[in-house]
Amino acid sequence: MRLAEIAFAVLALVVAAGTPMWPTEAAAEQPEHGFLDVYGGFLHLFESDVPDWKLEDDSPTVGGRVGVWIAKNWGPIFRAWYFQTDAELDTASPSDLAFLGLSLELLGRWSLTEHWALYGTLGPMVAVTTLDRQRSSVTRVEDDSRSVAPGGSLSIGTEIRVLKGLRAFAEVQGSLVYPEFNFPARTSSARLLTVYGLTGLRLGF
């Protein structure tokens, strides 16, 4: 009976002090170790600066990235994105340009409030581009050329916390690569400068 009274008294003191016997939700919440992003948007591909070629166009794009936090607001990320657009080569039109970008970047984040932050990324990239050149609109015979070229990618954006572990973000990205296309009796090096307007969701884990 004495032990029961002592146990009841200790429990009453704990409750009165406002200290629960189990961890709170805030204490149980663990810091994120990484994140996964999915996004989409539109891009503007600028003029390639190659005589008789016209690659300038607007097009939709989709992509994603995964990253890990090596510090609270710093971490490496791997990004992949894709778009396809029309191209005009000499008098042969239409032609198609397919672009797959792969980059390894460093992300830095600056928290403005508990729910709102700014961030930026910068790093090298590789672009796998395929250009299908249509010889004639009558025969529809195409010449295909594929290029794997190095380049660079950078971005700035803002994110806002929607739910625990879920954020929405808006971002402006830029990329620059110099692919080389080889066709019969012609080899040309293009400058592909692209600016992207993106929105997406970030899932922390």
Side-chain angles (χ1 to χ4, degrees):
M1 189 67 180
R2 183 70 175 172
L3 291 177
E5 293 176 354
I6 294 175
F8 181 79
V10 171
L11 180 60
L13 287 174
V14 170
V15 173
T19 304
M21 298 297 290
W22 54 87
T24 63
E25 180 181 354
E29 183 176 346
Q30 299 296 320
E32 296 178 358
H33 299 289
F35 60 89
L36 173 66
D37 292 352
V38 291
Y39 60 81
F42 288 89
L43 63 90
H44 182 75
L45 175 63
F46 287 88
E47 190 60 59
S48 63
D49 289 343
V50 177
D52 302 324
W53 290 42
K54 181 175 176 57
L55 297 178
E56 183 175 7
D57 198 10
D58 298 308
S59 178
T61 181
V62 294
R65 63 188 161 203
V66 61
V68 294
W69 297 114
I70 57 177
K72 182 179 179 181
N73 291 311
W74 295 91
I77 64 171
F78 174 75
R79 182 201 297 258
W81 70 99
Y82 177 84
F83 70 85
Q84 184 171 336
T85 186
D86 295 330
E88 296 180 4
L89 311 178
D90 299 325
T91 57
S93 180
S95 300
D96 294 321
L97 173 71
F99 183 106
L100 174 63
L102 305 169
S103 68
L104 183 62
E105 305 172 36
L106 179 65
L107 183 146
R109 182 173 61 181
W110 179 32
S111 298
L112 301 177
T113 68
E114 183 180 356
H115 300 284
W116 182 31
L118 302 177
Y119 66 89
T121 70
L122 176 66
M125 64 168 289
V126 172
V128 181
T129 53
T130 302
L131 186 59
D132 300 331
R133 180 186 183 186
Q134 190 176 104
R135 295 182 186 177
S136 170
S137 59
V138 178
T139 61
R140 297 188 179 276
V141 177
E142 292 184 342
D143 294 322
D144 299 337
S145 178
R146 178 171 296 176
S147 171
V148 179
S153 172
L154 60 85
S155 69
I156 56 173
T158 181
E159 65 176 33
I160 185 169
R161 181 173 178 177
V162 180
L163 298 171
K164 178 183 175 182
L166 181 65
R167 293 175 171 85
F169 64 87
E171 177 180 315
V172 176
Q173 180 198 1
S175 66
L176 176 63
V177 293
Y178 291 86
E180 184 175 88
F181 300 112
N182 298 298
F183 292 106
R186 179 172 183 175
T187 298
S188 295
S189 298
R191 182 192 69 181
L192 301 183
L193 173 61
T194 313
V195 176
Y196 312 78
L198 309 170
T199 58
L201 294 175
R202 172 167 298 166
L203 178 64
F205 56 84

